[in-house]
Amino acid sequence: MNKVILGRYIPGESLVHHLDPRSKLILSFYFIIIIFLANNWQSYALLLVLTLGGVFLSGVSFGFFLKGVRPLIWLILFTVLLQIFFSRGGTVYWQFGPLALTSFGVINGSYVFCRFVLIIFMSTLLTLTTAPLEIADALESLMEPLKKFKVPVYEISLMLSIALRFVPTLMDETEKIMNAQRSRGVNFGEGSIMKQIKAVVPLLIPLFVSSFNRAEDLATAMEARGYRGGEGRTKYRIHFWKRNDTLACIVFGLATLVLLYLRNW
Amino acid sequence: MEEPMIEISDLSFQYPQQESEALSHLNLAVAAGEWLAVIGHNGSGKSTLAKLIDGLLIPKTGTIKIAGVQLTSSTLWNIRKNIGMVFQNPDNQFVGANVEEDVAFGLENQGVPRETMIKRVEAALTDVGMWDFAQHEPARLSGGQKQRVALAGVIALQPKIIIMDEATSMLDPEGRKEIIQLIQNLNKKNGFTVISITHDIEEASLAQRVVVIDDGLLVQDDKPAKVFQRGAALIESGLDIPFSEKLKNEIRNQGIDVPQEYLTEKGMVDWLCQFISKK
């Protein structure tokens, strides 16, 4: 379970860490959109500089980013190979039945590869430098306008933050139940698929039951502490939009302009 | 006489789908600043009593008055501001993502302005000695530390009454001692009224008054010394007696005459010293 890079946060004091989570969230999404504007080497080089700049400023070691790519490597290679062998056009280097290696194919394949890697790098940068709870805060604050459409923004964000807070607790509990069941002779991850599925039942049911009990306890404790819903509450945790956030947005804005220019080079 | 902080009269409660009442016709008054321990075996109705006082359950009959105000659905939220509760399982009552946020949760609910909130969170965490851990997540804390945070959450609300619903039952002896000491300080320094629901007999022996509940009935309501004098009867109703009382029984079994009245550990030591020097 330690392989999961999503939600893994590396505390730090860098420039990127101190950005407002809202600006980080918006900019990461924005980056993923503008990546699809890039259509030649110059534009990809620009995006690469932008990403590496962010990585460098975050002060997080490069290895973590490579780890983010690793679980997806087969998906990336599969897509890239499909692009390479099934694209037509340009000089034909080699051909065999429906498969063909063409200059267009090679270029398209490398573009797809670049896109994947850049998107993964940028989203890893977001999760590595932003605590899960900050992301939840950012989502709440960005969903604020939805309140006009009767979306229970506060409740959603409370659920999100409680869910995040209970992830490690439930992980521990899963481990405990697994070990307890193992000590009583349950084999996890062995035998045929049917057997493996059956072995999960003595893990899932206790976990469900204990989650219900936890929920009940937590609800009682929350009520005893005066929780009556989102109305009339104040907030302890507040994020401030700082000069650096505006600066980051300007950098991304300029990058977009340059990108649009490079596109038609 | 001063008006009691908590006044319970003719209180009954029955859980749905259960044949007998969890509590029946209970009368109890707790003075301001008093430390009351409620003891009883499992399922005797202790926790039900705590939840009724906080308005988390609605009684079948009877009334509860907190600081002179009767508990009804309209006064409920105001009354709850006066009561802080610490529950048994330290994991399941931790709402916030880290220590300081959890302490702030109750304050947020009351709509306390942020500046005041920051000050009170820091003060409460300093009180329980957890300020250095303000940024820590619950997963990185021990059970005793989590319980201290829960206590800080209660202190920050500045209630008049603290109810501990078996708050020390899942802790190791060390953590238990720390929590009890903290409560003792709060009770003495800030004049909080403390109701401690417990299985831990040593904890009960520190209280000013002990109430014994057995199958929903209030069996005894007296000073700890008087309650523990009934040694054998206590054991019969599924409870334990303090260590000094056990030692006394053992000595008595050896055919040595020991005083009838309850002795604390210190009292026991004194008596033993006197007894030996007399020989």
Side-chain angles (χ1 to χ4, degrees):
Chain A
M1 296 197 186
N2 289 327
K3 281 183 203 147
V4 186
I5 192 99
L6 180 88
R8 186 99 85 74
Y9 164 64
I10 300 181
E13 291 293 319
S14 74
L15 209 65
V16 183
H17 279 92
H18 282 297
L19 283 181
D20 191 297
R22 282 169 296 182
S23 68
K24 277 192 270 191
L25 196 67
I26 295 172
L27 289 179
S28 313
F29 274 110
Y30 181 67
F31 183 79
I32 291 170
I33 294 165
I34 60 172
I35 257 185
F36 292 97
L37 287 176
N39 62 353
N40 54 25
W41 284 117
Q42 291 86 342
S43 47
Y44 274 110
L46 173 78
L47 290 175
L48 187 70
V49 168
L50 201 62
T51 314
L52 289 182
V55 169
F56 174 71
L57 285 177
S58 76
V60 178
S61 91
F62 200 68
F64 280 106
F65 293 90
L66 293 181
K67 262 188 215 153
V69 176
R70 207 188 286 156
L72 291 173
I73 197 74
W74 294 114
L75 179 70
I76 297 175
L77 286 182
F78 179 71
T79 325
V80 168
L81 289 177
L82 272 185
Q83 284 285 339
I84 289 180
F85 287 114
F86 289 98
S87 299
R88 292 291 150 87
T91 339
V92 179
Y93 302 121
W94 174 79
Q95 197 160 16
F96 177 76
L99 301 176
L101 191 67
T102 63
S103 59
F104 264 44
V106 172
I107 291 174
N108 269 343
S110 14
Y111 283 172
V112 167
F113 181 77
C114 285
R115 263 183 211 166
F116 261 116
V117 172
L118 287 178
I119 289 176
I120 294 170
F121 269 32
M122 205 40 121
S123 44
T124 315
L125 183 64
L126 173 74
T127 54
L128 286 183
T129 59
T130 321
L133 215 86
E134 286 184 313
I135 298 181
D137 276 352
L139 279 176
E140 182 187 0
S141 145
L142 294 174
M143 284 192 301
E144 198 76 18
L146 292 180
K147 269 190 187 160
K148 284 206 185 86
F149 303 104
K150 300 245 161 83
V151 178
V153 172
Y154 175 77
E155 277 72 19
I156 293 175
S157 93
L158 183 78
M159 268 188 329
L160 200 61
S161 73
I162 288 178
L164 287 170
R165 169 247 169 284
F166 271 99
V167 167
T169 315
L170 289 180
M171 286 269 210
D172 279 355
E173 180 150 0
T174 312
E175 194 76 37
K176 246 187 242 166
I177 298 175
M178 261 175 120
N179 285 336
Q181 301 292 29
R182 271 198 197 109
S183 75
R184 298 162 70 186
V186 178
N187 280 326
F188 291 105
E190 270 174 44
S192 65
I193 292 192
M194 246 349 250
K195 260 190 179 163
Q196 288 198 31
I197 293 174
K198 269 187 189 157
V200 176
V201 174
L203 172 64
L204 274 188
I205 290 178
L207 204 57
F208 260 111
V209 172
S210 96
S211 300
F212 274 106
N213 289 336
R214 269 182 206 282
E216 170 116 40
D217 278 2
L218 186 69
T220 314
M222 282 170 71
E223 209 186 330
R225 289 168 74 181
Y227 178 75
R228 347 168 31 175
E231 291 305 309
R233 284 185 101 233
T234 43
K235 278 188 83 74
Y236 181 70
R237 210 171 41 215
I238 291 183
H239 296 284
F240 295 100
W241 189 273
K242 292 177 290 280
R243 210 189 48 192
N244 278 345
D245 295 295
T246 319
L247 224 62
C249 288
I250 292 172
V251 169
F252 271 69
L254 288 176
T256 317
L257 290 179
V258 179
L259 188 69
L260 286 174
Y261 172 71
L262 289 174
R263 218 173 117 79
N264 306 314
W265 194 322
Chain B
M1 202 189 122
E2 209 184 325
E3 192 173 21
M5 184 56 92
I6 304 171
E7 198 178 358
I8 297 169
S9 51
D10 193 37
L11 186 73
S12 296
F13 181 80
Q14 189 166 10
Y15 283 101
Q17 288 150 11
Q18 214 129 71
E19 282 179 17
S20 58
E21 287 175 328
L23 285 176
S24 51
H25 308 289
L26 195 92
N27 291 295
L28 183 68
V30 186
E34 194 175 5
W35 180 339
L36 177 80
V38 181
I39 59 174
H41 61 83
N42 281 338
S44 57
K46 308 184 297 284
S47 294
T48 310
L49 177 65
K51 285 184 181 152
L52 282 164
I53 294 174
D54 203 21
L56 295 166
L57 296 173
I58 297 157
K60 195 165 103 183
T61 65
T63 55
I64 300 172
K65 273 188 185 174
I66 309 286
V69 184
Q70 190 177 331
L71 187 68
T72 61
S73 53
S74 56
T75 57
L76 174 69
W77 293 99
N78 273 325
I79 281 179
R80 221 170 255 174
K81 280 183 193 166
N82 294 327
I83 305 174
M85 266 182 109
V86 183
F87 293 92
Q88 181 175 19
N89 189 325
D91 255 322
N92 296 357
Q93 54 179 316
F94 208 108
V95 188
N98 63 28
V99 169
E100 54 177 353
E101 269 162 39
D102 188 64
V103 176
F105 179 75
L107 297 169
E108 289 180 325
N109 289 335
Q110 294 192 2
V112 175
R114 187 160 178 265
E115 294 75 45
T116 328
M117 203 146 53
I118 289 169
K119 274 183 219 140
R120 273 161 75 171
V121 167
E122 183 175 349
L125 279 174
T126 316
D127 267 1
V128 300
M130 288 292 288
W131 178 239
D132 292 341
F133 296 84
Q135 301 288 332
H136 283 217
E137 292 115 41
R140 289 164 63 198
L141 300 176
S142 72
Q145 288 174 324
K146 271 179 238 175
Q147 226 36 334
R148 280 203 263 171
V149 174
L151 200 55
V154 164
I155 296 169
L157 288 170
Q158 302 172 345
K160 293 183 184 133
I161 304 163
I162 293 184
I163 302 178
M164 312 237 297
D165 189 356
E166 296 185 34
T168 58
S169 67
M170 290 179 95
L171 303 181
D172 58 11
E174 199 64 31
R176 187 176 294 189
K177 227 182 253 170
E178 277 177 16
I179 295 283
I180 293 174
Q181 228 152 38
L182 273 171
I183 298 278
Q184 233 169 350
N185 280 342
L186 290 173
N187 175 246
K188 278 196 193 122
K189 254 196 352 205
N190 307 19
F192 285 143
T193 309
V194 177
I195 298 184
S196 129
I197 288 166
T198 183
H199 273 134
D200 185 37
I201 233 65
E202 307 296 332
E203 187 180 327
S205 67
L206 291 169
Q208 290 162 5
R209 211 171 111 203
V210 176
V211 166
V212 185
I213 293 184
D214 193 4
D215 290 331
L217 293 167
L218 198 153
V219 185
Q220 201 179 9
D221 175 358
D222 217 328
K223 288 196 170 63
K226 284 273 166 53
V227 172
F228 295 134
Q229 237 173 39
R230 295 193 318 143
L234 273 186
I235 294 173
E236 248 167 56
S237 60
L239 288 163
D240 204 2
I241 48 172
F243 173 71
S244 57
E245 209 55 22
K246 277 184 200 159
L247 181 65
K248 227 164 72 179
N249 284 346
E250 288 299 316
I251 297 174
R252 193 177 289 134
N253 288 345
Q254 301 288 321
I256 298 168
D257 199 26
V258 272
Q260 275 299 317
E261 74 268 17
Y262 168 73
L263 294 171
T264 56
E265 233 168 88
K266 193 177 167 298
M268 198 68 202
V269 171
D270 288 347
W271 178 80
L272 276 173
C273 288
Q274 272 180 15
F275 179 73
I276 292 167
S277 61
K278 253 190 266 170
K279 254 190 175 172

